[in-house]
Amino acid sequence: MTRTRTQGRAQAASPDPYPPSTGAGAAALLAWYDRHRRRLPWRALPGEVADPYRVWLSEIMLQQTTVAAVGPYFTRFLSLFPNVAALADAPSEAVMRAWAGLGYYSRARNLHACAKAVMAAHGGRFPDTEEGLRALPGIGPYTAGAIAAIAFNRQAVAVDGNVERVMTRLHRIATPLPAAKVEVRAATLALLAPDRPGDFAQALMDLGATICTPTTPACGLCPWSGPCAARAQGDMLAFPVKAPKRARPLRHGSALWLVSGANVLLTRRPPKGLLGGMVALPGSSWTVTHRLDQPPPSPLPARLARLPGHAAHGFTHFDLHVSVWRGEVADGTPAPPDHWWEPLAGLAQAGLPTVFAKMAQLAIAAAPP
Ligand code: ADE
């Protein structure tokens, strides 16, 4: 484990933060969790057995997405697809529509593929080991650890951003992330509670989310404040150390807002790639060389006028600005192949991902139907 030069174990408040063999660290954390655990829709109550389907669904939704944002999606998803068999049997359009707005749509495609694999290869039961889970679509090391621990009480850890923050502060791990992941994982495994690995995983998540927060850690309430090396030095906010991020390039595009009567023309993105399989406005591709004053290609002849402003959206690897171009064709014009007319009144339920919903908002604000 790498530490900064000014700080070694000898200088910490106690000589060794919770020697792993004693289990004292896990005991302190679990005692705190038993009093302060968050009630979350996917969580089993104390004494209840966790449902692997709910645990899996929540962990996939919670990748790159906050607990607050996931809550309503999780509840709606469960009412539409109450179990893995129902999800596997659902048409992919229904799954993608239920996911619309959550972002990172490859998660939804993998989720559906995973449900089908659980039905086809595992008789409808999730594998109960990290290794078995990792073999399924969309399940990486973090998610496999989380499901194995939470749903099956396996000796596994789930190291996400919250856990990285807690552990790098506890031990003052100065290696920048992502390289520090190996040390963080080892440090987490060393503290794991052998009898309650599922609660241990969730307790660490809760500690990171509610106490050991990025900018205002509530150290006075933390069950690990005594042995915390960063707390002893007063430099909690210096951890985790992160490798500098590369600047995100800015891409541009143009979108088509083509109206016919009380309808707008929609299409579906190709199945693979960014926003694959999602409902979309027709338009140009998104590139660094595209200019906002270039009109989008239109599958129907129409005079296009650019609407004021542009829609802005941030993806993981690039930022995007899109101009929106309005055109009109006669009511009753047939939709071209791979497109359809969506009633404007039902657009909110059409399953547009956020980036396209922003373009639609711009168009509706500029020219209310
Ligand atoms: N973040 C990722 N997984 C989580 C969980 N199970 N509970 C709370 N936050 C989480």
Side-chain angles (χ1 to χ4, degrees), residues 58-361:
S58 66
E59 291 301 339
I60 303 292
M61 287 188 164
L62 286 158
Q63 293 166 6
Q64 282 112 7
T65 310
T66 63
V67 163
V70 163
Y73 277 90
F74 178 82
T75 309
R76 218 172 87 75
F77 222 86
L78 260 196
S79 69
L80 291 170
F81 316 113
N83 51 48
V84 67
L87 181 58
D89 280 347
S92 83
E93 292 76 22
V95 177
M96 301 312 281
R97 196 178 322 118
W99 199 274
L102 264 184
Y104 300 94
Y105 295 92
S106 60
R107 290 183 296 169
R109 287 193 297 278
N110 281 328
L111 184 88
H112 201 200
C114 182
K116 289 177 195 274
V118 167
M119 293 311 294
H122 300 280
R125 298 171 77 90
F126 280 87
D128 65 0
T129 62
E130 273 182 284
E131 199 190 3
L133 289 160
R134 287 236 19 205
L136 290 167
I139 300 190
Y142 163 79
T143 310
I147 302 172
I150 299 171
F152 300 113
N153 236 10
R154 293 275 179 186
Q155 300 291 311
V157 293
V159 180
D160 67 355
N162 283 323
V163 178
E164 284 168 355
R165 194 167 53 253
V166 170
M167 299 310 292
T168 54
R169 287 175 178 172
L170 181 67
H171 292 300
R172 272 182 109 245
I173 296 172
T175 311
L177 284 168
K181 281 176 185 289
V182 179
E183 285 166 68
V184 169
R185 190 178 156 76
T188 313
L189 273 167
L191 286 173
L192 178 59
D195 51 337
R196 295 175 63 188
D199 284 346
F200 181 81
Q202 294 174 101
L204 263 185
M205 290 171 188
D206 283 13
L207 192 70
T210 64
I211 301 285
C212 195
T213 57
T215 57
T216 50
C219 301
L221 302 175
C222 180
W224 282 355
S225 67
C228 181
R231 160 91 157 148
Q233 289 293 307
D235 60 359
M236 297 77 72
L237 300 193
F239 298 91
V241 180
K242 289 187 179 161
K245 272 196 187 148
R246 278 206 258 147
R248 287 191 292 186
L250 177 62
R251 295 191 194 176
H252 290 109
S254 302
L256 181 66
W257 182 258
L258 192 62
V259 172
S260 170
N263 307 295
V264 65
L265 193 68
L266 294 185
T267 186
R268 194 173 286 283
R269 308 227 349 142
K272 292 257 148 63
L274 182 71
L275 303 166
M278 297 302 295
V279 179
L281 292 181
S284 74
S285 50
W286 301 333
T287 64
V288 284
T289 52
H290 185 91
R291 292 195 333 266
L292 289 179
D293 59 5
Q294 284 174 258
S298 176
L300 290 172
R303 201 139 43 96
L304 302 182
R306 183 178 168 187
L307 300 174
H310 63 261
H313 191 73
F315 291 100
T316 321
H317 298 297
F318 64 95
D319 287 318
L320 178 67
H321 290 177
V322 178
S323 58
V324 183
W325 297 68
R326 188 178 190 284
E328 212 164 328
V329 295
D331 201 359
T333 305
D338 302 323
H339 294 69
W340 69 92
W341 294 111
E342 184 76 29
L344 283 162
L347 202 58
Q349 287 81 49
L352 283 175
T354 305
V355 62
F356 291 108
K358 287 178 181 172
M359 299 174 208
Q361 260 167 23

